[in-house]
Amino acid sequence: MLRFRDRLRTHSGDRELYARTKRSLSRQIWQYMQNYADAKTEMVEEILGRAGHEA
């Protein structure tokens, strides 16, 4: 999670993608919080992938 946090702190494009995605998902009604978390997974993995390439 530190790698993800650091990536968002230092890369405005990824930070904006994360914020846009969270805003979009927050407009939906989720029966379970886990469904919301699952919906973010692909975007989080994409950002972590880019962060891993720089590690």
Side-chain angles (χ1 to χ4, degrees):
M1 294 314 297
L2 294 176
R3 189 169 31 136
F4 184 75
R5 179 206 64 194
D6 292 346
R7 176 73 185 192
L8 294 182
R9 285 181 174 176
T10 58
H11 292 80
S12 62
D14 284 336
R15 188 171 52 248
E16 291 166 12
L17 170 63
Y18 184 66
R20 255 191 338 268
T21 301
K22 285 184 59 104
R23 276 194 294 271
S24 174
L25 293 173
S26 73
R27 293 184 190 109
Q28 298 180 39
I29 296 173
W30 302 95
Q31 183 174 2
Y32 302 105
M33 194 65 186
Q34 186 60 47
N35 297 128
Y36 166 76
D38 291 344
K40 296 187 308 180
T41 298
E42 184 176 335
M43 176 267 310
V44 169
E45 289 175 348
E46 179 183 324
I47 292 172
L48 281 172
R50 286 194 289 274
H53 290 282
E54 294 179 0

